[in-house]
């Protein structure tokens, strides 16, 4: 399932490129994709790298996809690459997107896709209450991220209106 999840997330990120960073609807009737995305918010403001994120909730047939999409604000130095995400000693369902998507992610064509964390229904509800703190690990080292509750609650509210 995670492979399909990453493919659908890529479609959503690219489809939303022209929509700006405000959040909105994702609809591709030809592909049977229907969903929503939250606005972008700051996940990490490290000394040398800024990571942004947004949450998607989408359906295709009877499958629901929920994910935190992580992207790097282009800094002119190098692209970040991570291979895993951890929270409190537990590995999260993370998929690197660094080699798969370039140029434009979700309304900011100066961003690079870094990766995504698949969200279970429980994770997205918990995120709406307290956000999501995690650490990304990989060839670029380690970096802490915090996705604020507003990302999750906004995506859930938009999804409830679908």
């Amino acid at each position: 399932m995670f492979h399909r999840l990453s493919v659908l997330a890529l479609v959503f990120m690219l489809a939303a490129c022209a929509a700006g960073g405000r959040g909105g609807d994702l609809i591709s009737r030809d592909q049977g994709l229907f969903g929503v995305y939250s606005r972008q918010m700051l996940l990490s403001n490290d000394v040398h790298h800024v990571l942004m994120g947004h949450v998607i909730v989408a359906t295709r047939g009877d499958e629901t996809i929920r994910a935190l999409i992580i992207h790097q604000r282009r800094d002119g130095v190098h692209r970040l690459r991570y291979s895993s995400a951890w929270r409190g000693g537990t590995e999260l369902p993370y998929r690197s997107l660094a080699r798969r998507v370039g140029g434009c992610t979700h309304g900011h064509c100066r961003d690079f896709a870094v990766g995504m964390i698949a969200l279970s229904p429980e994770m997205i509800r918990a995120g709406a209450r307290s956000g999501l703190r995690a650490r990304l690990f990989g060839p670029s080292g380690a970096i802490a991220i915090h996705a604020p509750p507003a990302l999750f609650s906004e995506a859930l509210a938009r999804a409830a209106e679908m």
Side-chain angles (χ1 to χ4, degrees):
M1 173 171 151
F2 201 82
H3 175 69
R4 287 186 300 201
L5 175 65
S6 63
V7 171
L8 291 175
L10 293 174
V11 169
F12 290 148
M13 288 187 311
L14 295 172
C17 187
R22 295 180 304 273
D25 298 329
L26 301 167
I27 299 172
S28 175
R29 294 186 195 292
D30 294 335
Q31 297 174 332
L33 302 172
F34 301 92
V36 296
Y37 59 95
S38 71
R39 65 186 158 191
Q40 291 187 73
M41 294 185 82
L42 184 68
L43 302 182
S44 177
N45 193 9
D46 192 69
V47 174
H48 298 291
H49 306 291
V50 174
L51 295 179
M52 304 293 289
H54 61 278
V55 173
I56 64 168
V57 177
T59 60
R60 183 177 188 188
D62 60 356
E63 182 178 19
T64 300
I65 296 104
R66 299 164 203 84
L68 170 64
I69 309 299
I70 303 163
H71 38 102
Q72 172 190 4
R73 189 59 36 102
R74 190 179 299 187
D75 62 2
V77 179
H78 64 278
R79 292 179 68 167
L80 297 175
R81 297 195 191 289
Y82 297 103
S83 54
S84 64
W86 292 78
R87 177 185 63 190
T90 302
E91 187 172 10
L92 299 173
Y94 178 83
R95 173 71 59 129
S96 175
L97 300 175
R99 292 192 171 108
R100 293 174 178 85
V101 178
C104 185
T105 61
H106 219 69
H108 289 280
C109 293
R110 63 182 182 262
D111 292 354
F112 294 117
V114 172
M116 60 178 273
I117 298 172
L119 303 169
S120 67
E122 297 79 23
M123 286 175 69
I124 200 167
R125 284 192 298 271
R129 288 189 303 274
S130 57
L132 175 73
R133 291 187 185 276
R135 288 186 62 82
L136 304 178
F137 294 90
S140 295
I143 193 166
I145 62 169
H146 176 247
L151 282 179
F152 301 94
S153 56
E154 181 181 326
L156 285 172
R158 289 181 184 276
E161 297 172 1
M162 280 196 315

